[in-house]
Amino acid sequence: MANQYDAIVVGAGHNGLTAGCYLARAGLKTLIVEKNDWIGGAAVSRELHPGWTYSNCSYVCSLLRPEVARDLDLGRHGLQVTPYEGGLSFMENGDYFGYYADHDALRREIKRHSPRDADAYDRFSRFVLQQCRFIRPLLLRSPPDPVRMRPRDIQELLYLLKRFHDMGPRQMADTLRFYTASVADFLDEFFECEILKAHLAGSGIIGTGLGVYSPGTAYVLLHHYMGEVDGSIGAWGFSRGGMGGVSQSLASAFKEAGGEIRAGNGIEKFLCREGNVVGVALDNGDEITAKTVVSNMDVRRTFLDHVEDGTLSDDFVKAVKRFKIRGSSAKLNIALDGMPEFPALPKGTILTQGDMHASQSLDELEQAYDEWKAGRWSTDPYFDMLIPSLIDPTLAAPGKHMMTVFVQYAPYELANGESWDGPNRDAMAESVISKIAKYSPNFRDLIVHKEVRSPWDIEREVGLTEGNIFQGELTFDQLLFNRPVPGYAQYRSPIKGLYMCGSSTHPGGGVMAAPGANAAREILSDLGRGQRAA
């Protein structure tokens, strides 16, 4: 009986924990199994150097759905998110562009660089907000399935069409163009200032194997804008204690509901019999039975690595193989002996409490992408750099700081069959550090310790195929009922009782918890313990 459960969730990332919370709260005896000795997947806090805590994969919080946080009472379980108040892009001429959270301050700053763009930014913000209002209600709904066209699918399609129609003819046309546009073309419609466009364009390429001129990257920008902190749409913030604070609050809610977590052993395979899942076999030889099994792994890892050959149809396997999961990102986590100096900035500025960049133009960003396409890391990379210890003092000792740097681009497979081990990883890190040092003369001397993570490292540790942070590209052909496979977008699989709850499913990646919540709703409906969303 010790190895018999009502439900097993594979993977203690935030979506697996979310699904587990809802299942356990509904009265199911639920187990979460995790291959690592720690929980959280990509949303984790780790002390990899004494005295410094790193959010060593995911590093900022915004997309976490407030409905889920309220449902599970995550605040009571310790979750605290503090918004940051600005951001900036350094300029090679010694100036900077400051991206203030305060609207009036931001307007003055844009006007300093381009009087015309100050008004254009208001138009840009209104358009993005309209798109957020269109898509946000869809995040916690299961997408329709045009392949099956059951009554619920027809109803959901009509709901989607009505929301689209309610926009009006002009907005409908703009929305269709937006979803298929590149982020560069989208920004060119509004702005003339190169540094402003470069600053905003980063949101369209983060975690994505595409360049700023690639169709579909305008939506990726929207994906990063549709979150909120304390009701402020588009705001970003830091989880106190690092991103592991999100996972720990979910784990606390899960255990309070009676759930159990087993860490330290991953899954070897899903146990299936006559088209039904009956449990899991772990890599230590244990077999655990359950009639409901939920995979928080990406769709490729789930069905290509852990389902026995011959269990699935050839057509389904081909569709899974076609799902695009491309590694394009690296990460540096750095322990600093003090606060870096940035001579270009005013003393005491709040801008360093947000995201910092140093890309000058859209063309520079595209050149970084060109190197990735050739199988090389970008020698002049785009980076998203933050010092969260300025806001969260729990991450480092007084007077010390923790810096996190997200890097585009770094390929999963290097040219000429080279390995990421050793010299290549160090050389990639040096390209980032040398670029930061151009704007902070004492930065290099402050480095006490650094963790460098290539896409290969992220895959090996976290289990994200190719290190892709979204468990699959967020292009238009991989959204809604196409995510991850047409006919299987409602969290089920061809194997009865085996479900998916990871970011390969709708609505996609980021620390959002929506896939986990949506999957749990569908599972409980199948078990007669809940109601589906309309």
Side-chain angles (χ1 to χ4, degrees):
M1 292 295 293
N3 276 349
Q4 293 181 357
Y5 292 84
D6 297 322
I8 300 169
V9 179
V10 177
H14 80 282
N15 276 312
L17 291 165
T18 299
C21 283
Y22 282 103
L23 297 179
R25 283 159 56 101
L28 298 183
K29 183 183 178 184
T30 305
L31 170 71
I32 298 178
V33 295
E34 167 57 45
K35 74 180 182 73
N36 289 317
D37 294 328
W38 59 89
I39 66 164
V44 66
S45 302
R46 301 187 64 199
E47 187 180 72
L48 300 179
H49 187 74
W52 280 266
T53 299
Y54 294 160
S55 291
N56 71 330
C57 196
S58 172
Y59 55 103
V60 285
C61 191
S62 170
L63 299 176
L64 183 67
R65 297 309 307 148
E67 302 93 332
V68 174
R70 288 193 296 268
D71 275 355
L72 303 180
D73 203 4
L74 297 186
R76 183 171 61 82
H77 290 280
L79 178 64
Q80 300 179 47
V81 179
T82 304
Y84 50 76
E85 297 187 36
L88 65 97
S89 283
F90 295 103
M91 300 174 67
E92 289 183 343
N93 64 4
D95 199 357
Y96 66 92
F97 168 73
Y99 193 76
Y100 295 90
D102 179 83
H103 177 267
D104 292 335
L106 176 58
R107 183 177 175 84
R108 288 193 296 271
E109 177 67 0
I110 296 174
K111 193 171 184 178
R112 185 170 73 87
H113 292 273
S114 168
R116 175 189 174 277
D117 283 355
D119 289 333
Y121 185 81
D122 288 338
R123 296 194 300 273
F124 165 82
S125 296
R126 283 195 297 271
F127 181 86
V128 172
L129 183 59
Q130 287 169 344
Q131 295 302 318
C132 287
R133 286 172 175 162
F134 170 68
I135 198 169
R136 280 159 58 93
L138 307 178
L139 301 179
L140 286 172
R141 300 176 73 96
S142 297
D145 183 358
V147 174
R148 302 179 190 276
M149 289 303 286
R150 296 159 299 182
R152 64 168 294 196
D153 300 312
I154 296 171
Q155 185 178 3
E156 194 66 19
L157 275 172
L158 290 173
Y159 172 82
L160 182 60
L161 290 171
K162 183 179 185 305
R163 287 194 57 78
F164 186 59
H165 183 267
D166 286 348
M167 286 183 163
R170 175 65 183 271
Q171 276 295 117
M172 289 166 63
D174 289 344
T175 297
L176 286 174
R177 189 175 72 255
F178 169 76
Y179 270 70
T180 56
S182 72
V183 68
D185 288 341
F186 173 61
L187 293 173
D188 278 342
E189 291 183 17
F190 293 93
F191 306 117
E192 63 181 10
C193 177
E194 280 298 319
I195 193 65
L196 172 57
K197 289 189 285 187
H199 184 91
L200 296 173
S203 294
I205 59 171
I206 283 181
T208 303
L210 297 168
V212 291
Y213 289 100
S214 302
T217 47
Y219 171 77
V220 180
L221 178 143
L222 175 65
H223 193 86
H224 284 100
Y225 273 59
M226 62 192 179
E228 64 180 79
V229 177
D230 292 337
S232 179
I233 296 175
W236 289 83
F238 298 116
S239 169
R240 186 172 177 83
M243 286 300 289
V246 176
S247 300
Q248 292 298 332
S249 67
L250 286 164
S252 175
F254 176 63
K255 291 175 181 177
E256 183 181 78
E260 179 185 343
I261 298 175
R262 278 192 213 179
N265 289 109
I267 181 178
E268 182 67 28
K269 64 179 179 179
F270 296 102
L271 299 174
C272 303
R273 187 180 301 133
E274 297 178 352
N276 296 275
V277 72
V278 295
V280 299
L282 301 184
D283 56 16
N284 66 350
D286 287 352
E287 293 190 356
I288 310 171
T289 62
K291 292 183 179 180
T292 298
V293 179
V294 192
S295 175
N296 190 34
M297 299 181 290
D298 66 63
V299 65
R300 279 202 206 164
R301 196 166 290 263
T302 296
F303 296 109
L304 303 183
D305 295 350
H306 299 291
V307 173
E308 289 186 340
D309 292 343
T311 304
L312 300 163
S313 71
D314 291 344
D315 287 344
F316 181 79
V317 171
K318 288 177 183 177
V320 170
K321 289 180 178 179
R322 285 196 298 266
F323 188 73
K324 298 191 298 291
I325 306 180
R326 298 179 293 208
S328 62
S329 312
K331 184 89 188 297
L332 274 68
N333 299 291
I334 304 172
L336 297 171
D337 199 34
M339 179 63 190
E341 297 172 359
F342 299 106
L345 303 180
K347 294 290 185 183
T349 180
I350 62 171
L351 295 176
T352 55
Q353 296 181 18
D355 51 329
M356 292 176 273
H357 315 283
S359 297
Q360 308 298 302
S361 67
L362 296 174
D363 286 345
E364 179 184 310
L365 292 170
E366 188 71 6
Q367 289 168 13
Y369 172 58
D370 289 341
E371 291 182 278
W372 175 84
K373 288 188 293 183
R376 303 188 302 269
W377 66 84
S378 303
T379 53
D380 187 13
Y382 166 82
F383 62 71
D384 189 36
M385 176 178 72
L386 300 103
I387 308 176
S389 50
L390 286 170
I391 291 178
D392 180 1
T394 69
L395 301 177
K400 314 298 183 183
H401 287 285
M402 188 276 281
M403 175 184 284
T404 180
V405 189
F406 186 91
V407 183
Q408 293 281 121
Y409 293 84
Y412 176 71
E413 294 183 351
L414 293 171
N416 304 318
E418 293 186 30
S419 167
W420 268 113
D421 286 335
N424 284 319
R425 188 188 292 110
D426 293 341
M428 184 273 293
E430 176 57 29
S431 72
V432 178
I433 290 170
S434 62
K435 187 167 184 176
I436 297 172
K438 287 172 58 178
Y439 304 96
S440 177
N442 72 332
F443 168 68
R444 194 183 293 271
D445 294 336
L446 293 173
I447 297 175
V448 176
H449 172 265
K450 65 178 182 293
E451 180 199 30
V452 183
R453 314 184 82 206
S454 70
W456 182 80
D457 297 308
I458 296 171
E459 178 186 69
R460 181 181 56 175
E461 179 185 309
V462 185
L464 295 171
T465 296
E466 293 200 15
N468 185 285
I469 65 172
F470 296 135
Q471 285 196 356
E473 299 286 0
L474 294 171
T475 48
F476 194 48
D477 61 319
Q478 295 194 167
L479 297 178
L480 286 171
F481 39 74
N482 284 331
R483 191 171 186 92
V485 175
Y488 295 97
Q490 294 172 344
Y491 313 97
R492 296 167 183 81
S493 80
I495 301 170
K496 186 175 181 181
L498 177 58
Y499 297 82
M500 297 172 281
C501 74
S503 295
S504 282
T505 62
H506 172 77
V511 182
M512 188 182 299
N518 291 346
R521 185 184 62 244
E522 294 294 330
I523 293 165
L524 294 173
S525 176
D526 287 351
L527 296 175
R529 297 191 180 219
Q531 292 183 341
R532 290 191 180 99

